[in-house]
Amino acid sequence: MDRVKTFIQGFDDAIGGGVPKGHVVLVCGSPGTMKTSVAFSILYNNVKAGSKGLYISLEESDEDLKGAMQDFGMTGIDDMELYILDVSKIRLEHKEEELNKNWLDIVMKYIEQRVKVNKFDLVAIDSLAGLYSLNKLENPRRELFHFFGFLRSLRATTFLVSEIPGGDDGRLCMFDEDFLSDGVLLLRTIEKGDSDVQLRIRCVKMRRTEHDRGYYPLTRNDGRFQIARTAAQ
Amino acid sequence: MDRVKTFIQGFDDAIGGGVPKGHVVLVCGSPGTMKTSVAFSILYNNVKAGSKGLYISLEESDEDLKGAMQDFGMTGIDDMELYILDVSKIRLEHKEEELNKNWLDIVMKYIEQRVKVNKFDLVAIDSLAGLYSLNKLENPRRELFHFFGFLRSLRATTFLVSEIPGGDDGRLCMFDEDFLSDGVLLLRTIEKGDSDVQLRIRCVKMRRTEHDRGYYPLTRNDGRFQIARTAAQ
Amino acid sequence: MDRVKTFIQGFDDAIGGGVPKGHVVLVCGSPGTMKTSVAFSILYNNVKAGSKGLYISLEESDEDLKGAMQDFGMTGIDDMELYILDVSKIRLEHKEEELNKNWLDIVMKYIEQRVKVNKFDLVAIDSLAGLYSLNKLENPRRELFHFFGFLRSLRATTFLVSEIPGGDDGRLCMFDEDFLSDGVLLLRTIEKGDSDVQLRIRCVKMRRTEHDRGYYPLTRNDGRFQIARTAAQ
Amino acid sequence: MDRVKTFIQGFDDAIGGGVPKGHVVLVCGSPGTMKTSVAFSILYNNVKAGSKGLYISLEESDEDLKGAMQDFGMTGIDDMELYILDVSKIRLEHKEEELNKNWLDIVMKYIEQRVKVNKFDLVAIDSLAGLYSLNKLENPRRELFHFFGFLRSLRATTFLVSEIPGGDDGRLCMFDEDFLSDGVLLLRTIEKGDSDVQLRIRCVKMRRTEHDRGYYPLTRNDGRFQIARTAAQ
Amino acid sequence: MDRVKTFIQGFDDAIGGGVPKGHVVLVCGSPGTMKTSVAFSILYNNVKAGSKGLYISLEESDEDLKGAMQDFGMTGIDDMELYILDVSKIRLEHKEEELNKNWLDIVMKYIEQRVKVNKFDLVAIDSLAGLYSLNKLENPRRELFHFFGFLRSLRATTFLVSEIPGGDDGRLCMFDEDFLSDGVLLLRTIEKGDSDVQLRIRCVKMRRTEHDRGYYPLTRNDGRFQIARTAAQ
Amino acid sequence: MDRVKTFIQGFDDAIGGGVPKGHVVLVCGSPGTMKTSVAFSILYNNVKAGSKGLYISLEESDEDLKGAMQDFGMTGIDDMELYILDVSKIRLEHKEEELNKNWLDIVMKYIEQRVKVNKFDLVAIDSLAGLYSLNKLENPRRELFHFFGFLRSLRATTFLVSEIPGGDDGRLCMFDEDFLSDGVLLLRTIEKGDSDVQLRIRCVKMRRTEHDRGYYPLTRNDGRFQIARTAAQ
């Protein structure tokens, strides 16, 4: 089976070589857990390796996103086949029209056309909550089933940045998108002792993959993410 | 009493030889706990042993499901008496008609006819939440009583994949289907120490069976599930 | 005071010799805690000792219930003064009429007549949630007060199987029936160490009785329930 | 200051000699914590010592209550100045009229008249939840302020049995009656180790009293309650 | 800066010499934590030292309050410049008029006039929940902003007794008045070991003050409150 | 990248030299965690170093705020390019007009004009909850997206004081503003042992910054905040 590497050093081995092509994968975490950086770096490193990527930003501007990623060491984005759709700018410029019922449809049609015409292999949507704020979901489970069906029909591999609302009640998303997705990558900060806080990644779910289920410390090294296996407590 | 084996090595002994024929059994767990693989493998291995099975997939496509199961070592599905009903495809193709009130009835009538005509011994529905999203339940307890009554009237042994919504509040399902079902198999990941996560299975309930109530580590070996008894902590 | 034995070996001593005659007693527990078996065995063993019993099953069929109890060693039910009212069958056969407002009244009138005519000493209702699903309770506390008043007026000793909804928030029932009842027997599984799960029974409340309040491990031996006092932790 | 003894051996010392005369005191606890026995025994022992008491039972019958108290060793109730008002019987006999709006008023007027005419020193209401089920409270805080004002205007010392709904969230009552009351006695079972359960009493609040705030094990001895100070853990 | 002493021995040092003049300070705690005694003693001791105080009691009568405070050793209240406004009496006498919309306004106008005419330096309102029960707050945050603005405009130092509803979820008040107030004094009982319960005070917030944030055991000695620093655990 | 120092000694190093210019940063904490002092001191110290600052106070008066800050050692505010907009005074003076729908717009237009005309580099809004109380948010996520877009369009660096509602459920704000903001500074009191309470600061999130994620004890020394790294527990 073809797999899309995450290029998180050491992590691809833990998930059977990468994310199966065509999967819809949640990248979830609370604020400050580097969801955007992880999702963007997966697209960036795949595009560098020859793929074509579409990054859809609902709430952060094109410039801010690019700047942040360049700081991180991901340079030369403008010369790559990595297109950033800045929905945030469109929203700010068309504030008054946002109450229009068909915004979510417009975004979906736009994605569909771009994926078909430009033949993007990878798509990222940052974030689901931003997307949902465009429209009120009447029956979330049913509408999300069709939204996930739409994403799968694109045949691209899709990463959905999903914000975990505060609290520690174990929910990974707002409307049980974890059931509908093919994979779930969880980013989480864990308090160590009284004052230290460590960032970790866990593959909670990955269809068609015999994956490890443990938590791995996630660090950055020379502009790339990497994991280390923690010693037993 | 006739029993349907789960073919989870070691587990059938723990539940008195298998699931009593004709039972309606929940297979519940949070995302990434292999509910689908466990339910499917029960049908697959029984069909290999001479039964006839119907697997009803509400949200995952026929192809994805088969592919995942083949990866797992369950090959030759197309040549077996294991029929997969891909409701997900029907839903995606008839999105506009989904608001039609009688969808749940249509699915039920379809199941009834197929079970009677094709004489399926085993039925699986994956998942209950997917099924519920087709119709709004007015009085869940009453409607589910009749849905379970319908399933029992089929005389087949039925497995219902049930997604446990996030959080850790101990609920096993959405509408207390655990009270109405004849058996409950719980899949759960348990954090071991600081970074390890282990998959376990537990028989919470099994009518007409003197079953063990403990948690067993669940692993896969050569395409088959098996359990091991953990050492005391 | 006349007492009805539970015939759970060792437990009657812990509750002063048995349940005071005429009491309305909850038998509560989450799924898989053997509520039905415990309630039924109390009726079965009392009928064997000369009483007359009425077991009202709201959601499990007559055949399934009898079969399960026979497996358990309770044989010869058909030849005993232990009558099973299979409301579940009536409900399935009269699905369309179930929205009729007076169903709960019909069940109550039926019980009343049978108790008076057949002079049943013991009545069990399995389960309260099944009963409630027949009618919407407008003011649960007031309506349940009258329902408990009705049960007490029968002068039989009554056991009400009460399902504890999932979670671990300490509630024993849905509408605080524990306040209205004369006794509460709690069945509970307790996780021992990392993988073992033990079944226990506790007498939470028993009016007119100087009872022990501790948890007792509950086991089956030769078709009878029995308790053991656990060693101190 | 005049004080009403609880006659719980050892406990009166812990609360400055007893409950100040004229106080309105909650006796709260979850089911099976002997709230009724504690409240009744306070009235019983005071009446034996020369007071006059009115016990208002909303949900338990006169006969059941007396029987239970006699079992407990409180004999000769019928020959004492301890009057039991069996509202439960009236309710069962007038079920149809219960939707009448002024039931709570009727009970209050009855209490007022009896206290004035018969000069009762002590009044107990068992229970508050039973009382509330007679009428819907529109603005609980305001209506309860006036209900407590009414009780204080009687100049009797009043004990209100208050059922703590299940769970362990620390609430002592339904509508923050603990703020309005002059005293709060809390009955609670505490699990000791893995299988033992102990009954305890605590004086949470007692206006005009320099009271101890700790938990005391509560036991019965020769028909009387008594406390023991537990050893430090 | 001028400061109002609390006269809780040892505590004024912990909060920089006392409460800054003109502050609006919450005194919060669950039932039985001596909120009233603490608030009243602050006014009493300041009045003895030459200030003028107005104590507004919403739910406890003038007589009960005075009696309780006298027990406590605060004698001679009637001869001091410490005026108690018994709103509870007015409410009980005007029960029918309480649904009148402008009751909160009437209380506020009364306070304003009395503070201006009688030049009270200190005002206490016991309790906020009692005050709120007079009127329904449409937009609590906005209305409370203006209520706190009104209190600050009086130029008196104000103490607001605030009841913490049961449970242990960390909230200190009903409508986040802690954000609007200048200071928060928290009274809390802490269970020590298995049976002991200790009363503690903590200064959670005090604008314009470099205060200690720890918990101090609070005891009474010869009619005065005092604190002790606990040894490290 | 240009960065705005927090001037919290030791902390700027932990966040890569300071807050990136133009960021919108939450300063969140429960009552008494010095949010206002921290936010104000950032503006004060930057203005002293040559910037221009606008501090918008929604609920605390100009005088109280200045007084508090002067106590703290921040003197000479009136002679600096640090302007305080006292919305609280305007609100109290125009109480009746507050129900006017466009108040939030008025505040936003005012900020916009002032930032453009006076060329403020830093803006602080104290607090978000105060701001929200001016208007009801119909669709918080959407409206806040535009509010944050507005703030970013100002090109100033903005600090938003955000009150964490009571409880300990892990939420950092009311409407997930943490997702929309570029940075999150969390102030928190941590109970040490049984009686000590320590103030700490943590950088939860800071876009475009490789920051430390741990908790630092926060203390004041000669009018300046500083941090210390705690020893491992």
Side-chain angles (χ1 to χ4, degrees):
Chain A
M1 175 186 298
D2 286 340
R3 285 176 184 269
V4 171
K5 286 193 180 188
T6 65
F7 290 96
I8 299 168
Q9 216 179 307
F11 190 63
D12 286 317
D13 291 344
I15 59 171
V19 172
K21 234 175 181 164
H23 263 28
V24 178
V25 176
L26 294 188
V27 178
C28 32
S30 55
T33 53
M34 311 202 76
K35 294 177 297 296
T36 293
S37 301
V38 165
F40 195 92
S41 79
I42 295 175
L43 264 68
Y44 178 86
N45 285 300
N46 276 286
V47 169
K48 260 182 95 173
S51 299
K52 295 177 79 171
L54 172 64
Y55 199 95
I56 299 163
S57 180
L58 272 295
E59 295 178 333
E60 200 174 3
S61 76
D62 185 15
E63 297 78 33
D64 284 352
L65 181 64
K66 267 188 208 161
M69 295 305 114
Q70 280 161 0
D71 293 355
F72 192 82
M74 292 186 266
T75 51
I77 298 170
D78 290 336
D79 307 323
M80 293 166 67
E81 295 273 22
L82 175 45
Y83 186 77
I84 298 173
L85 174 64
D86 185 349
V87 180
S88 95
K89 192 185 287 165
I90 304 172
R91 291 179 69 188
L92 291 171
E93 284 168 357
H94 298 78
K95 186 179 170 182
E96 300 317 319
E97 297 152 57
E98 204 170 59
L99 301 173
N100 183 317
K101 259 194 177 176
N102 301 307
W103 255 94
L104 181 56
D105 277 357
I106 291 167
V107 170
M108 281 168 68
K109 273 169 195 154
Y110 176 90
I111 295 173
E112 188 171 22
Q113 199 184 12
R114 292 299 308 261
V115 169
K116 283 188 181 156
V117 173
N118 301 74
K119 305 202 183 312
F120 289 114
D121 307 292
L122 293 106
V123 175
I125 298 177
D126 186 353
S127 65
L128 280 181
L131 196 75
Y132 300 160
S133 73
L134 295 175
N135 277 71
K136 198 170 167 298
L137 301 178
E138 297 299 336
N139 177 337
R141 182 85 185 205
R142 188 196 292 155
E143 296 180 38
L144 288 174
F145 167 74
H146 288 291
F147 178 62
F148 275 72
F150 158 74
L151 292 175
R152 285 201 187 88
S153 73
L154 300 175
R155 301 287 159 194
T157 307
T158 310
F159 295 88
L160 303 173
V161 172
S162 172
E163 301 160 347
I164 300 180
D168 204 14
D169 67 354
R171 293 192 81 97
L172 300 180
C173 41
M174 295 173 82
F175 299 113
D176 298 331
E177 297 90 339
D178 43 356
F179 292 119
L180 290 166
S181 67
D182 300 301
V184 177
L185 301 180
L186 171 62
L187 293 158
R188 185 175 160 197
T189 49
I190 289 178
E191 301 195 10
K192 302 286 298 177
D194 196 40
S195 60
D196 201 15
V197 176
Q198 211 176 65
L199 186 62
R200 300 212 175 163
I201 190 168
R202 183 191 159 202
C203 177
V204 174
K205 170 181 180 177
M206 191 61 69
R207 284 181 180 156
R208 314 200 55 171
T209 301
E210 204 153 344
H211 61 89
D212 197 288
R213 296 167 189 285
Y215 281 101
Y216 295 92
L218 183 68
T219 55
R220 290 192 290 176
N221 197 19
D222 289 332
R224 288 245 173 140
F225 284 106
Q226 60 178 26
I227 61 165
R229 195 67 174 136
T230 50
Q233 219 181 11
Chain B
M1 174 185 301
D2 286 339
R3 285 178 184 267
V4 171
K5 286 194 180 187
T6 65
F7 291 95
I8 298 168
Q9 216 180 306
F11 191 63
D12 286 318
D13 290 343
I15 59 171
V19 173
K21 234 176 180 165
H23 263 28
V24 178
V25 175
L26 294 188
V27 178
C28 32
S30 53
T33 53
M34 311 203 76
K35 295 177 296 293
T36 293
S37 302
V38 166
F40 195 92
S41 78
I42 295 175
L43 265 67
Y44 178 87
N45 286 300
N46 276 288
V47 169
K48 261 181 95 173
S51 298
K52 295 178 80 171
L54 172 65
Y55 199 95
I56 299 163
S57 180
L58 271 294
E59 294 177 333
E60 200 175 3
S61 75
D62 185 14
E63 297 79 33
D64 284 352
L65 181 64
K66 268 187 207 162
M69 296 304 114
Q70 280 162 359
D71 292 354
F72 192 80
M74 291 186 266
T75 52
I77 299 172
D78 290 336
D79 307 323
M80 294 167 65
E81 295 273 22
L82 175 46
Y83 186 78
I84 298 174
L85 174 65
D86 185 350
V87 181
S88 95
K89 192 185 290 166
I90 305 172
R91 290 179 69 189
L92 290 172
E93 286 168 357
H94 298 79
K95 186 179 169 182
E96 300 317 319
E97 298 152 56
E98 202 170 63
L99 301 173
N100 183 317
K101 259 195 176 174
N102 301 308
W103 255 94
L104 182 56
D105 277 358
I106 291 167
V107 171
M108 282 168 68
K109 272 166 196 156
Y110 176 90
I111 296 173
E112 188 170 21
Q113 199 184 12
R114 293 298 308 260
V115 169
K116 283 188 183 158
V117 171
N118 301 73
K119 306 205 183 310
F120 289 114
D121 308 293
L122 292 106
V123 175
I125 298 177
D126 185 353
S127 66
L128 280 180
L131 196 75
Y132 301 159
S133 72
L134 296 175
N135 276 71
K136 199 172 168 294
L137 302 177
E138 298 298 336
N139 178 336
R141 183 86 184 204
R142 189 196 291 155
E143 296 180 38
L144 288 174
F145 167 75
H146 288 290
F147 177 63
F148 275 72
F150 158 74
L151 292 175
R152 284 202 187 88
S153 73
L154 300 174
R155 300 286 158 196
T157 307
T158 310
F159 295 88
L160 303 172
V161 172
S162 171
E163 301 161 347
I164 300 180
D168 204 14
D169 68 353
R171 294 190 81 98
L172 300 181
C173 41
M174 295 173 83
F175 299 114
D176 299 331
E177 297 90 340
D178 43 355
F179 292 119
L180 290 165
S181 67
D182 300 302
V184 177
L185 301 181
L186 171 62
L187 292 158
R188 185 176 160 194
T189 50
I190 289 179
E191 302 195 10
K192 300 286 300 178
D194 196 39
S195 59
D196 201 15
V197 176
Q198 210 176 65
L199 187 62
R200 301 212 174 162
I201 190 168
R202 184 189 159 203
C203 178
V204 174
K205 170 180 180 176
M206 192 60 70
R207 284 182 180 155
R208 313 200 57 171
T209 301
E210 204 154 344
H211 62 90
D212 198 288
R213 295 166 190 286
Y215 281 101
Y216 295 92
L218 183 68
T219 55
R220 291 192 290 177
N221 197 18
D222 289 332
R224 287 245 174 142
F225 284 105
Q226 60 179 25
I227 61 164
R229 195 68 174 135
T230 50
Q233 219 181 11
Chain C
M1 175 185 301
D2 286 340
R3 285 177 185 268
V4 171
K5 286 194 181 189
T6 65
F7 290 95
I8 298 168
Q9 213 180 308
F11 190 64
D12 286 318
D13 291 343
I15 58 170
V19 172
K21 235 178 181 163
H23 264 26
V24 178
V25 175
L26 295 188
V27 178
C28 31
S30 53
T33 52
M34 311 202 76
K35 296 177 297 292
T36 293
S37 302
V38 166
F40 195 92
S41 79
I42 295 176
L43 264 67
Y44 178 86
N45 286 300
N46 275 286
V47 169
K48 262 182 93 172
S51 299
K52 297 177 77 171
L54 173 64
Y55 198 95
I56 299 162
S57 180
L58 272 293
E59 294 177 333
E60 201 176 3
S61 75
D62 186 13
E63 297 79 33
D64 285 351
L65 180 65
K66 267 187 206 161
M69 297 304 115
Q70 279 162 359
D71 293 352
F72 193 81
M74 292 187 266
T75 53
I77 298 172
D78 290 336
D79 307 323
M80 293 167 65
E81 295 273 23
L82 175 45
Y83 187 79
I84 298 174
L85 174 64
D86 185 350
V87 181
S88 95
K89 191 185 291 165
I90 306 173
R91 289 178 70 189
L92 291 171
E93 286 167 358
H94 298 78
K95 185 179 169 182
E96 300 317 318
E97 299 152 54
E98 201 170 65
L99 302 173
N100 182 318
K101 261 195 175 174
N102 301 308
W103 255 94
L104 181 57
D105 276 358
I106 291 167
V107 171
M108 282 169 67
K109 270 166 198 157
Y110 176 90
I111 296 173
E112 188 170 20
Q113 199 184 11
R114 293 299 307 261
V115 169
K116 283 189 182 156
V117 172
N118 300 73
K119 305 204 184 310
F120 289 114
D121 308 293
L122 292 105
V123 174
I125 298 177
D126 185 353
S127 66
L128 280 182
L131 195 75
Y132 300 159
S133 73
L134 295 176
N135 276 70
K136 198 173 168 294
L137 301 178
E138 297 298 336
N139 178 337
R141 182 86 184 204
R142 188 195 292 153
E143 295 179 39
L144 289 174
F145 167 75
H146 288 291
F147 177 63
F148 276 71
F150 158 74
L151 292 175
R152 285 203 187 85
S153 72
L154 300 174
R155 300 286 157 197
T157 307
T158 310
F159 294 89
L160 302 173
V161 172
S162 171
E163 301 161 347
I164 299 180
D168 204 14
D169 68 353
R171 295 190 80 98
L172 300 180
C173 41
M174 294 172 83
F175 299 114
D176 299 331
E177 297 90 339
D178 44 355
F179 292 119
L180 290 165
S181 67
D182 299 303
V184 177
L185 301 181
L186 172 62
L187 292 159
R188 185 176 160 194
T189 50
I190 289 179
E191 302 194 11
K192 300 285 300 176
D194 195 41
S195 59
D196 201 15
V197 177
Q198 211 176 64
L199 187 62
R200 301 212 173 163
I201 190 168
R202 183 189 159 202
C203 177
V204 175
K205 170 180 179 177
M206 193 59 72
R207 285 182 179 154
R208 313 200 57 171
T209 301
E210 203 154 344
H211 62 90
D212 197 288
R213 295 167 189 285
Y215 280 101
Y216 295 92
L218 183 68
T219 56
R220 291 192 290 176
N221 198 18
D222 289 331
R224 288 246 173 141
F225 285 105
Q226 61 178 25
I227 61 165
R229 194 67 174 138
T230 50
Q233 220 183 10
Chain D
M1 175 185 301
D2 286 341
R3 285 177 184 268
V4 171
K5 286 193 182 191
T6 64
F7 289 95
I8 299 168
Q9 214 179 308
F11 190 63
D12 286 318
D13 291 343
I15 58 169
V19 171
K21 234 178 183 163
H23 264 27
V24 178
V25 175
L26 295 188
V27 179
C28 31
S30 54
T33 52
M34 313 203 75
K35 294 177 298 293
T36 293
S37 302
V38 166
F40 196 92
S41 80
I42 295 175
L43 264 67
Y44 177 86
N45 285 301
N46 275 287
V47 168
K48 263 182 92 171
S51 299
K52 298 178 76 170
L54 172 65
Y55 198 94
I56 299 162
S57 180
L58 272 293
E59 295 178 331
E60 201 174 3
S61 75
D62 185 13
E63 297 78 32
D64 285 352
L65 180 65
K66 267 188 205 160
M69 296 305 114
Q70 279 161 1
D71 292 352
F72 192 82
M74 294 186 266
T75 52
I77 297 171
D78 290 336
D79 307 324
M80 293 167 65
E81 296 273 22
L82 176 47
Y83 187 78
I84 297 174
L85 174 65
D86 185 350
V87 181
S88 95
K89 191 184 292 165
I90 305 173
R91 289 179 69 189
L92 289 172
E93 286 167 358
H94 298 78
K95 186 179 168 181
E96 300 317 317
E97 298 153 55
E98 202 170 64
L99 301 173
N100 183 318
K101 260 195 176 174
N102 301 308
W103 255 93
L104 181 57
D105 277 357
I106 291 167
V107 171
M108 282 168 67
K109 271 168 197 155
Y110 176 90
I111 295 172
E112 188 171 19
Q113 200 184 12
R114 293 299 308 260
V115 169
K116 283 191 181 153
V117 172
N118 300 73
K119 305 204 185 312
F120 289 114
D121 308 293
L122 291 106
V123 175
I125 298 177
D126 186 352
S127 65
L128 280 182
L131 195 75
Y132 301 159
S133 73
L134 295 175
N135 277 70
K136 197 172 169 295
L137 300 178
E138 297 298 336
N139 178 337
R141 182 85 184 204
R142 187 195 293 153
E143 294 179 40
L144 288 174
F145 167 76
H146 288 291
F147 177 62
F148 275 73
F150 158 74
L151 292 175
R152 286 204 186 86
S153 73
L154 299 174
R155 301 286 156 196
T157 307
T158 310
F159 295 88
L160 303 172
V161 171
S162 172
E163 300 160 348
I164 299 180
D168 205 14
D169 68 353
R171 295 190 79 99
L172 301 179
C173 42
M174 294 173 83
F175 299 114
D176 298 330
E177 298 90 340
D178 43 356
F179 293 119
L180 291 165
S181 67
D182 299 303
V184 177
L185 301 180
L186 171 63
L187 292 159
R188 186 176 159 193
T189 50
I190 288 178
E191 300 194 12
K192 302 284 300 176
D194 195 42
S195 59
D196 200 15
V197 176
Q198 210 176 65
L199 187 61
R200 300 213 175 163
I201 190 169
R202 183 189 158 203
C203 178
V204 174
K205 170 181 178 177
M206 193 58 74
R207 285 182 180 155
R208 313 200 58 170
T209 301
E210 202 154 345
H211 62 90
D212 198 288
R213 294 166 190 285
Y215 281 101
Y216 294 92
L218 183 69
T219 55
R220 292 192 289 178
N221 199 17
D222 290 332
R224 287 245 174 144
F225 285 105
Q226 62 179 23
I227 62 165
R229 194 69 173 136
T230 50
Q233 220 183 13
Chain E
M1 175 186 298
D2 285 342
R3 286 176 183 270
V4 171
K5 286 192 180 191
T6 63
F7 290 96
I8 298 168
Q9 215 178 308
F11 191 63
D12 286 318
D13 291 343
I15 58 169
V19 172
K21 233 177 182 165
H23 263 27
V24 178
V25 175
L26 294 188
V27 178
C28 32
S30 55
T33 51
M34 311 203 76
K35 294 176 297 294
T36 294
S37 302
V38 165
F40 195 91
S41 79
I42 295 175
L43 264 67
Y44 177 86
N45 285 301
N46 276 287
V47 168
K48 262 181 94 172
S51 297
K52 298 179 77 170
L54 172 65
Y55 199 94
I56 300 162
S57 181
L58 271 295
E59 295 179 330
E60 199 175 4
S61 75
D62 186 14
E63 297 77 33
D64 285 352
L65 180 65
K66 267 188 206 159
M69 296 304 115
Q70 279 161 2
D71 293 352
F72 192 82
M74 294 186 266
T75 51
I77 297 170
D78 290 337
D79 308 323
M80 292 166 66
E81 295 273 23
L82 176 46
Y83 186 79
I84 298 174
L85 174 66
D86 186 349
V87 181
S88 95
K89 192 184 291 165
I90 305 172
R91 289 179 70 188
L92 291 171
E93 285 168 358
H94 298 80
K95 185 179 169 182
E96 300 318 318
E97 298 153 56
E98 202 171 63
L99 300 174
N100 183 318
K101 259 195 178 175
N102 301 307
W103 254 94
L104 181 57
D105 277 356
I106 291 167
V107 171
M108 281 168 68
K109 272 169 196 154
Y110 176 90
I111 295 173
E112 187 172 20
Q113 199 183 13
R114 292 298 309 258
V115 170
K116 283 192 180 151
V117 171
N118 300 72
K119 306 202 184 314
F120 289 114
D121 306 293
L122 292 105
V123 175
I125 298 177
D126 186 352
S127 65
L128 280 181
L131 195 74
Y132 300 159
S133 73
L134 295 175
N135 276 69
K136 196 170 169 297
L137 300 178
E138 297 298 336
N139 178 337
R141 183 85 183 206
R142 188 195 293 153
E143 295 179 40
L144 288 174
F145 168 75
H146 288 291
F147 178 62
F148 275 73
F150 158 74
L151 292 175
R152 285 203 186 88
S153 73
L154 300 175
R155 302 285 157 195
T157 306
T158 311
F159 295 88
L160 303 172
V161 172
S162 171
E163 299 159 348
I164 299 180
D168 205 12
D169 68 354
R171 295 190 80 100
L172 301 179
C173 41
M174 295 173 83
F175 300 114
D176 299 329
E177 299 89 340
D178 42 357
F179 292 119
L180 291 165
S181 67
D182 300 302
V184 177
L185 301 180
L186 172 62
L187 292 158
R188 186 176 160 194
T189 49
I190 289 178
E191 300 194 13
K192 303 285 300 175
D194 195 42
S195 59
D196 201 15
V197 177
Q198 211 176 65
L199 187 61
R200 300 216 174 159
I201 191 169
R202 183 190 158 202
C203 178
V204 174
K205 170 181 179 178
M206 193 58 73
R207 284 183 180 155
R208 312 201 58 171
T209 301
E210 203 154 345
H211 61 90
D212 198 288
R213 293 166 190 285
Y215 280 101
Y216 295 92
L218 183 68
T219 55
R220 291 193 288 177
N221 198 18
D222 290 331
R224 289 245 173 141
F225 285 105
Q226 60 178 25
I227 62 166
R229 194 68 175 138
T230 50
Q233 219 183 12
Chain F
M1 175 187 297
D2 286 341
R3 284 175 185 270
V4 170
K5 287 192 180 190
T6 64
F7 290 96
I8 298 168
Q9 216 178 307
F11 190 63
D12 287 317
D13 290 343
I15 59 170
V19 173
K21 234 176 181 164
H23 264 27
V24 177
V25 175
L26 295 188
V27 178
C28 32
S30 55
T33 52
M34 312 204 75
K35 293 177 298 293
T36 293
S37 301
V38 165
F40 196 92
S41 80
I42 294 176
L43 264 67
Y44 177 85
N45 285 300
N46 275 287
V47 168
K48 261 183 95 172
S51 299
K52 297 178 76 171
L54 172 64
Y55 199 94
I56 299 163
S57 180
L58 271 295
E59 295 178 331
E60 199 175 5
S61 75
D62 184 15
E63 298 77 33
D64 285 352
L65 180 65
K66 268 188 207 160
M69 296 305 114
Q70 280 161 1
D71 292 355
F72 191 82
M74 292 186 267
T75 52
I77 297 170
D78 291 336
D79 307 323
M80 292 166 67
E81 296 274 22
L82 176 44
Y83 186 78
I84 298 173
L85 174 64
D86 185 350
V87 181
S88 94
K89 191 184 291 165
I90 305 173
R91 289 179 70 187
L92 291 171
E93 285 168 357
H94 297 79
K95 185 178 170 182
E96 300 317 319
E97 299 153 56
E98 203 171 61
L99 300 174
N100 183 317
K101 260 195 177 176
N102 301 307
W103 254 95
L104 181 56
D105 277 356
I106 290 167
V107 170
M108 280 168 68
K109 272 169 196 153
Y110 176 90
I111 295 173
E112 188 171 21
Q113 199 184 13
R114 293 298 308 260
V115 169
K116 283 190 181 153
V117 172
N118 300 72
K119 305 201 184 314
F120 288 115
D121 306 293
L122 293 106
V123 175
I125 298 177
D126 186 353
S127 65
L128 279 181
L131 195 75
Y132 300 159
S133 73
L134 295 176
N135 277 70
K136 196 169 168 298
L137 300 178
E138 296 299 335
N139 177 337
R141 182 84 184 208
R142 188 196 292 154
E143 295 179 39
L144 288 174
F145 167 74
H146 288 291
F147 178 61
F148 275 72
F150 158 75
L151 292 175
R152 285 202 187 89
S153 73
L154 300 175
R155 303 285 158 195
T157 307
T158 310
F159 295 89
L160 303 173
V161 172
S162 171
E163 300 159 349
I164 299 179
D168 204 13
D169 68 353
R171 293 192 80 99
L172 300 179
C173 41
M174 296 173 82
F175 300 113
D176 299 330
E177 298 90 339
D178 43 356
F179 292 118
L180 291 166
S181 67
D182 300 302
V184 176
L185 300 180
L186 171 62
L187 293 158
R188 185 175 160 195
T189 50
I190 289 178
E191 301 196 10
K192 302 284 300 176
D194 196 40
S195 60
D196 200 15
V197 176
Q198 211 177 64
L199 187 62
R200 300 214 175 161
I201 190 168
R202 183 190 159 203
C203 177
V204 174
K205 170 182 181 177
M206 192 60 70
R207 285 181 180 157
R208 313 201 56 171
T209 301
E210 204 154 344
H211 61 89
D212 198 287
R213 295 167 189 284
Y215 281 101
Y216 295 92
L218 184 68
T219 56
R220 289 192 291 176
N221 197 19
D222 289 331
R224 288 245 172 140
F225 284 106
Q226 61 178 25
I227 62 165
R229 195 65 175 139
T230 50
Q233 219 181 14

